[in-house]
Amino acid sequence: MRLVIARCSVDYVGRLTAHLPMAPRLILMKADGSVSIHADDRAYKPLNWMNPPCKVREEEIDGVLTWSVVHGKTGEKLVLTIEEILHDSSHELGVDPGLRKDGVEAHLQELLAEHITTLGDGWTLVRREYMTAIGPVDILCRDHLGGTVAVEIKRRGDIDGVEQLTRYLELLNRDPRLAPVKGIFAAQEIKPQARVLAADRGIDCVTLDYDALRGIEPENPTLF
């Protein structure tokens, strides 16, 4: 991972245009090919970013340093105009062991793997915790047509979970043995914003009933 603190302006050119004026910012370039620009607020959320795969071109024109970040598939571009670099370092982080899920999420994963036909008749499990270069996918399975499906499971599904699954799908679809790989975002509760983002990324959403997976009848049955 490369960490750069620099005075820079940022211009995004793609489905729309956006401009960040000159200011000190943190630029993260990760080993997975993603680039994100951060300010000293907004917690973990970047001001702007580019998902992998990306190519970064550095050039100096008339004494002005410019970094162009181009997305390999969509052609979207981030242009960083660098006025001053305050810090520049690179660090090898290695393979991350991944987030340890809480009891409910871990049990949801176990139950869904055991009852994979909850997602559809004729579906089969490939394996739980299918490892990628950036961490394990909760469930890898095949649908009734034999197509590969990656499933990310959360107790409460928000935008971050959709972004996480998107990164997994980018990597899995590079493997000719698996591609094409579809995604399913599964949770007990999925926020509306996450559903909108998932639909935009071509990811299906599934609401999981924890008690039903455990085989517990509801206290107040409904007709629908």
Side-chain angles (χ1 to χ4, degrees):
M1 180 186 294
R2 184 179 178 187
L3 296 87
V4 179
I5 298 175
R7 283 188 53 82
C8 64
S9 63
V10 184
D11 291 278
Y12 167 79
V13 180
R15 288 169 291 181
L16 47 80
T17 58
H19 174 73
L20 293 171
M22 189 70 67
R25 296 192 174 93
L26 169 65
I27 305 163
L28 293 182
M29 299 181 178
K30 294 188 177 182
D32 64 358
S34 64
V35 177
S36 57
I37 295 95
H38 300 258
D40 200 12
D41 60 5
R42 298 168 58 93
Y44 59 89
K45 293 184 179 180
L47 296 165
N48 214 326
W49 70 95
M50 197 74 78
N51 288 323
C54 295
K55 290 185 178 180
V56 180
R57 184 176 71 250
E58 300 183 20
E59 56 185 350
E60 188 170 336
I61 302 175
D62 297 329
V64 178
L65 180 61
T66 301
W67 294 354
S68 297
V69 183
V70 181
H71 192 284
K73 291 185 177 180
T74 65
E76 296 171 282
K77 182 187 293 187
L78 281 178
V79 178
L80 287 73
T81 302
I82 311 293
E83 184 178 86
E84 180 184 9
I85 293 179
L86 306 171
H87 174 85
D88 189 348
S89 63
S90 297
H91 307 270
E92 180 61 53
L93 301 185
V95 177
D96 191 89
L99 179 68
R100 293 187 179 274
K101 294 182 177 290
D102 66 23
V104 174
E105 283 190 11
H107 200 206
L108 278 171
Q109 183 193 112
E110 179 183 343
L111 289 169
L112 187 58
E114 184 178 346
H115 304 287
I116 198 66
T117 52
T118 300
L119 300 176
D121 293 335
W123 287 48
T124 57
L125 177 69
V126 175
R127 67 165 296 164
R128 291 170 55 193
E129 300 286 335
Y130 187 90
M131 185 57 66
T132 74
I134 58 173
V137 177
D138 287 334
I139 290 177
L140 196 71
C141 57
R142 295 194 182 276
D143 62 20
H144 65 291
L145 298 176
T148 311
V149 183
V151 184
E152 181 63 26
I153 299 170
K154 300 292 183 186
R155 182 170 54 175
R156 293 185 178 87
D158 57 20
I159 285 177
D160 291 340
V162 178
E163 291 283 9
Q164 182 181 2
L165 179 55
T166 299
R167 293 192 292 271
Y168 288 145
L169 292 171
E170 289 272 5
L171 289 174
L172 292 170
N173 273 300
R174 297 179 197 175
D175 188 338
R177 299 169 301 172
L178 301 176
V181 184
K182 298 188 299 182
I184 288 181
F185 188 54
Q188 287 181 281
E189 174 190 350
I190 301 176
K191 294 184 178 180
Q193 299 94 327
R195 289 185 180 274
V196 171
L197 181 60
D200 183 67
R201 302 279 173 85
I203 294 170
D204 293 330
C205 289
V206 173
T207 302
L208 298 176
D209 187 326
Y210 186 45
D211 288 339
L213 286 170
R214 295 167 65 197
I216 299 175
E217 294 292 334
E219 293 182 3
N220 300 302
T222 59
L223 294 175
F224 304 101

